[in-house]
């Protein structure tokens, strides 16, 4: 059976794994946003935070590391000695720098080795405490951040902060607003959650008590919160020297009052932080804070661009709709030429499906539309030159008719309509691109080539679909015009006349009498009139079907409805990334900073 301690440890490990996955997901998303300039800096932050989370994961069960950081004269080493209960653990005095190595106070040296690593121990002075010193805490004192040897110490200090779980920032009450020290700490402050960041104003005994309470502490808190852009929850005024076994006060330097929060700090370090599982909880809180900090940084950057992105995406949508309207207008402007070709193709389809006398006329008419009137001159005898000219005219008309017929379903028709789409996009794209640049996107998004490429890709995609869509409309129209009932109604009169004339002819033949030639002439005239009347009705129906590019518009509308918007901007990388950035404002809202 798993003990309560192990269960809580497993639960903490699972929470830490989820926090790491959250940060990895943010980093992966940032890597996709190569056109959004803030993503580069945010990605570096994500990389660093993921590294810190890996360190936390590796050290989840190790003792808690509490580090003191401060500038020259802040009394940092004195505070270290006071907390340790031994006056000379870390050297103090006026010679600078007093602390030249990282002083590490722990119960066992192996605890420090596990935290620091074997390759770092040469730069660290490890002090093993005896007796009742808690084994859950490691206390570290660092060199001054601004000492004469600061350039050699800064790397040590940064390494110490990077492995710390609790940071105690020490300031001098006689000169608290040290901008250099606040600025040095600013990049590291966000590593620590509110409970893991402690600000100590040392030497508070040197100030007037009323001024300290009413002016210095509130003003100092406000100063730090502006400098660090985080709330300062733990601000303690202490007199570290008062808690040495031998303060060795110089004449006239004894405390001016008894206001001192050292015991509160002592209880925090050796009481609260030394409790079982405190290290796990503190590190987990820091990990959650890091995750929330990254999410907040991403959300804040995205929020800065929110208005411009909303306007840019709105402009892109209206631009695409406008461009589509222009492409339809271009299609309509070519309706007459398209209609002729569509009419020819429709008659060809009808010729395959119609039967009977009217069907014969439809078949003949579909061929005449291709060869044209030039073919008639071939039938005129005795005029060889006119016959030759008629042959050439028929062939030329056939070529032109076939061209129109083919053009009606040519992919170039769709491409031509999209030429208007592309020209509109190129004319209006700079306005949208400027909004994207204002939102933090790389100025190269102004380059129209990707837009042209997207429009060209769309033209290639839609070309094949255009042929299918138009052919479907033609097939549907042809099926409607050659249904069985219509064919029966239009073929019935000439067939009845033909049967009637045939019956009379047969009847008179059997009786041995013959009909007059005038009967057959009148019958042929009536038959032609009836057939042409049926064909005239078909012509009217065809004309109604193909008028003003109706079939082309229907095909284009169907193509549009099946694919939604044309999709130029959906496939455009900058629009895809802009859509993602706009969503970032809400995607990480659940990760509120502690």
């Amino acid at each position: 059976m798993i003990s309560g301690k192990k269960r809580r440890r497993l639960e903490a490990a699972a929470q830490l794994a989820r926090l790491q996955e959250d940060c990895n997901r943010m980093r992966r998303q940032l890597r996709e946003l190569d056109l959004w300039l803030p993503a580069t800096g945010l990605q570096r932050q994500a990389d660093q935070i993921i590294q810190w989370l890996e360190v936390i994961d590796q050290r989840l069960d190790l003792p808690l590391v509490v580090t003191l950081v401060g500038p020259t004269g802040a009394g940092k080493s004195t505070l270290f000695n006071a907390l340790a209960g031994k006056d000379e653990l870390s050297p103090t005095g006026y010679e600078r720098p007093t602390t030249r190595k990282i002083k590490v106070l722990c119960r066992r040296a192996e605890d420090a080795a596990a935290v620091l690593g074997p390759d770092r121990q040469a730069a660290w002075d490890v002090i093993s405490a005896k007796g009742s010193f808690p084994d859950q805490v490691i206390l570290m004192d660092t060199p001054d951040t601004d000492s004469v040897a600061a350039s050699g110490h800064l790397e040590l200090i940064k390494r110490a902060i990077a492995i710390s779980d609790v940071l105690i920032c020490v300031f001098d009450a006689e000169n608290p607003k040290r901008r250099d020290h606040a600025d040095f700490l600013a990049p590291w402050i966000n590593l620590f959650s509110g409970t893991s960041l402690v600000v100590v104003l040392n030497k508070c005994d040197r100030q007037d008590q009323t001024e300290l309470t009413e002016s210095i502490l509130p003003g100092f808190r406000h100063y730090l919160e502006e400098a660090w852009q985080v709330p300062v929850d733990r601000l303690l005024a202490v007199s570290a020297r008062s808690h040495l076994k031998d303060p060795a006060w110089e004449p006239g330097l004894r405390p001016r009052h008894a206001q001192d929060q050292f015991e509160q700090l002592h209880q925090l370090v050796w009481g609260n932080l030394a409790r079982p599982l405190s290290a796990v909880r503190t590190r987990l809180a820091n990990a959650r804070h890091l995750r929330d900090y990254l999410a907040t940084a991403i959300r804040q950057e995205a929020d800065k661009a929110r208005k411009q992105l909303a306007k840019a995406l709105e402009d892109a949508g209206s631009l695409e709709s406008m461009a589509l309207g222009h492409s339809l207008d271009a299609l309509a402007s070519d309706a007459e030429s398209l209609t002729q070709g569509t009419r020819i193709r429709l008659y060809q389809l009808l010729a395959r499906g119609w039967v009977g006398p009217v069907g014969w006329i439809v078949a003949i008419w579909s061929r005449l539309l291709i060869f044209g009137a030039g073919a008639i001159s071939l039938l005129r005898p005795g005029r060889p030159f006119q016959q030759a000219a008629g042959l050439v005219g028929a062939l030329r008309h056939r070529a032109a008719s076939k061209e129109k017929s083919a053009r009606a379903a040519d992919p170039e028709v769709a491409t031509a309509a999209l030429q208007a789409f592309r020209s509109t996009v190129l004319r209006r794209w700079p306005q949208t691109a400027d909004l994207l640049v204002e939102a933090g996107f790389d100025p190269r998004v102004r380059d129209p080539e990707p837009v042209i490429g997207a429009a060209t890709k769309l033209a290639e995609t839609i070309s094949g679909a255009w042929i299918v869509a138009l052919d479907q409309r033609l097939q549907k129209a042809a099926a409607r015009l050659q249904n069985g009932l219509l064919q029966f109604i239009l073929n019935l009169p000439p067939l009845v006349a033909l049967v009637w004339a045939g019956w009379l002819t047969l009847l008179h033949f059997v009786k041995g009498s013959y009909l007059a030639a005038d009967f057959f002439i009148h019958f042929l005239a009536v038959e032609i009139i009836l057939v042409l009347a049926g064909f005239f009705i078909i012509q009217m129906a065809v004309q109604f079907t193909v008028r003003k590019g109706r079939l082309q518009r229907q095909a284009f509308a169907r193509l549009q409805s099946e694919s939604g918007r044309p999709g130029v901007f959906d496939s455009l990388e900058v629009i895809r990334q802009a859509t993602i950035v706009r969503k970032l404002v809400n995607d990480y809202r659940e990760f509120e900073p502690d």
Side-chain angles (χ1 to χ4, degrees):
M1 184 175 180
I2 301 177
S3 65
K5 182 178 179 179
K6 286 186 177 180
R7 186 178 65 254
R8 288 190 292 272
R9 168 64 177 79
L10 290 174
E11 290 173 354
Q15 292 182 49
L16 182 58
R18 286 195 294 270
L19 295 171
Q20 288 176 300
E21 176 53 32
D22 287 340
C23 292
N24 280 317
R25 176 162 54 89
M26 295 181 208
R27 180 172 63 178
R28 288 194 298 269
Q29 194 167 47
L30 290 170
R31 285 176 175 173
E32 294 180 5
L33 303 176
D34 58 300
L35 293 176
W36 190 45
L37 298 180
T40 302
L42 291 170
Q43 186 178 327
R44 284 198 292 266
Q45 291 185 39
D47 292 340
Q48 186 64 65
I49 285 173
I50 288 171
Q51 290 180 14
W52 288 329
L53 290 178
E54 290 173 354
V55 172
I56 290 175
D57 189 24
Q58 295 166 5
R59 297 169 47 233
L60 194 58
D61 293 319
L62 296 178
L64 201 67
V65 179
V66 181
T67 302
L68 280 71
V69 180
T72 301
K76 173 176 47 61
S77 296
T78 302
L79 180 60
F80 179 84
N81 292 336
L83 287 171
K86 297 184 178 182
D87 288 5
E88 299 301 331
L89 285 181
S90 187
T92 62
Y94 296 102
E95 181 184 354
R96 298 297 170 195
T98 54
T99 303
R100 292 174 170 81
K101 286 187 174 184
I102 303 292
K103 298 290 181 178
V104 182
L105 179 64
C106 57
R107 178 75 176 271
R108 295 180 297 270
E110 54 266 28
D111 292 338
V115 172
L116 307 178
D119 58 326
R120 296 183 175 182
Q121 294 188 47
W124 309 67
D125 187 2
V126 179
I127 305 168
S128 298
K130 305 297 182 182
S132 60
F133 190 85
D135 59 359
Q136 291 89 1
V137 175
I138 295 176
L139 184 65
M140 298 199 306
D141 182 23
T142 58
D144 299 333
T145 57
D146 60 344
S147 69
V148 294
S151 59
H153 292 160
L154 290 182
E155 186 60 31
L156 279 178
I157 298 170
K158 291 177 181 178
R159 286 162 60 184
I161 294 175
I163 64 170
S164 300
D165 302 300
V166 178
L167 190 65
I168 300 178
C169 307
V170 185
F171 290 82
D172 186 352
E174 295 181 305
N175 184 20
K177 297 181 181 180
R178 290 282 303 273
R179 190 74 197 190
D180 56 341
H181 184 46
D183 289 346
F184 172 80
L185 292 173
W188 302 94
I189 293 303
N190 284 301
L191 283 175
F192 303 91
S193 66
T195 57
S196 301
L197 177 66
V198 182
V199 177
V200 170
L201 193 61
N202 195 22
K203 303 181 184 179
C204 69
D205 55 293
R206 306 308 306 150
Q207 305 298 318
D208 179 77
Q209 185 175 5
T210 302
E211 183 181 4
L212 176 68
T213 304
E214 298 180 0
S215 178
I216 295 177
L217 285 174
F220 182 52
R221 184 190 300 273
H222 179 70
Y223 163 76
L224 286 181
E225 289 180 342
E226 281 196 340
W228 292 346
Q229 294 296 302
V230 296
V232 178
D233 298 325
R234 294 178 182 266
L235 173 57
L236 304 176
V238 305
S239 174
R241 190 172 181 182
S242 298
H243 298 275
L244 295 177
K245 294 180 179 179
D246 181 15
W249 297 110
E250 292 84 0
L253 293 180
R254 289 186 175 276
R256 299 173 61 181
H257 54 81
Q259 181 173 337
D260 185 359
Q261 295 176 291
F262 177 81
E263 291 301 330
Q264 185 176 340
L265 178 63
H266 190 276
Q267 174 60 29
L268 172 67
V269 176
W270 305 126
N272 299 345
L273 298 179
R275 293 173 183 169
L277 291 178
S278 179
V280 172
R281 286 193 296 268
T282 301
R283 287 181 175 125
L284 193 59
N286 283 341
R288 188 178 299 107
H289 174 78
L290 287 170
R291 188 275 311 273
D292 294 347
Y293 168 72
L294 177 59
T296 301
I298 295 173
R299 191 171 64 247
Q300 288 176 346
E301 286 293 341
D303 192 54
K304 293 177 184 176
R306 180 172 52 85
K307 291 183 179 179
Q308 290 89 344
L309 285 176
K311 185 67 170 66
L313 292 174
E314 181 182 350
D315 272 16
S318 63
L319 170 56
E320 193 163 347
S321 298
M322 180 187 301
L324 177 60
H326 289 174
S327 68
L328 289 173
D329 291 341
L331 186 64
S333 68
D334 203 20
E336 180 61 30
S337 175
L338 291 174
T339 299
Q340 293 181 32
T342 305
R343 185 186 296 111
I344 294 171
R345 293 197 65 226
L346 183 56
Y347 273 115
Q348 290 174 340
L349 291 173
L350 292 177
R352 300 189 191 118
W354 267 83
V355 295
V358 176
W360 304 335
I361 300 300
V362 170
I364 294 171
W365 184 254
S366 68
R367 303 308 298 169
L368 286 175
L369 286 176
I370 295 177
F371 284 95
I376 299 176
S377 62
L378 292 173
L379 304 178
R380 295 174 183 172
R383 298 182 180 181
F385 292 107
Q386 290 185 5
Q387 288 177 339
L391 176 61
V392 173
L395 294 175
R396 289 179 58 188
H397 188 80
R398 177 178 182 275
S401 298
K402 282 204 166 187
E403 179 183 351
K404 290 177 181 179
S405 176
R407 187 168 180 267
D410 193 344
E412 292 299 320
V413 174
T415 304
L418 287 171
Q419 290 290 343
F421 185 102
R422 187 171 65 175
S423 63
T424 304
V425 168
L426 294 179
R427 187 168 60 253
R428 286 281 306 277
W429 176 251
Q431 176 180 327
T432 303
D434 287 342
L435 288 170
L436 291 169
V437 172
E438 289 178 19
F441 277 79
D442 195 308
R444 58 186 169 143
V445 301
R446 292 192 175 100
D447 183 6
E449 287 302 320
V451 186
I452 296 175
T456 303
K457 183 178 180 180
L458 176 62
E460 293 172 352
T461 303
I462 206 173
S463 294
W466 163 256
I467 297 175
V468 174
L470 182 58
D471 189 63
Q472 289 174 346
R473 299 307 303 175
L474 284 168
Q475 294 285 355
K476 185 176 181 179
R480 189 168 57 248
L481 293 175
Q482 63 188 15
N483 68 80
L485 180 60
L486 182 62
Q487 291 198 44
F488 175 77
I489 292 173
L490 297 183
N491 280 315
L492 183 60
L495 285 175
V496 168
L498 183 62
V499 171
W500 177 74
W503 170 252
L504 288 179
T505 302
L506 180 63
L507 185 62
H508 282 77
F509 178 77
V510 172
K511 292 180 177 180
S513 62
Y514 298 95
L515 295 173
D518 288 345
F519 171 82
F520 291 103
I521 293 174
H522 287 91
F523 162 73
L524 183 60
V526 170
E527 188 73 10
I528 292 174
I529 290 173
L530 292 175
V531 171
L532 291 180
F535 179 65
F536 177 73
I537 294 174
I538 293 176
Q539 280 191 314
M540 291 181 61
V542 169
Q543 185 65 27
F544 178 80
T545 301
V546 302
R547 74 188 190 284
K548 297 182 179 180
R550 183 182 179 190
L551 287 180
Q552 288 85 354
R553 284 183 172 276
Q554 290 176 348
F556 203 91
R558 178 171 181 176
L559 196 64
Q560 179 188 353
S561 64
E562 289 178 351
S563 59
R565 294 187 298 117
V568 171
F569 293 106
D570 292 341
S571 62
L572 199 59
E573 181 63 18
V574 63
I575 295 299
R576 186 188 71 83
Q577 294 190 22
T579 304
I580 293 175
V581 173
R582 187 185 181 189
K583 289 177 59 183
L584 290 178
V585 177
N586 295 319
D587 282 354
Y588 301 129
R589 198 173 295 280
E590 60 181 296
F591 304 138
E592 295 294 337
D594 52 13

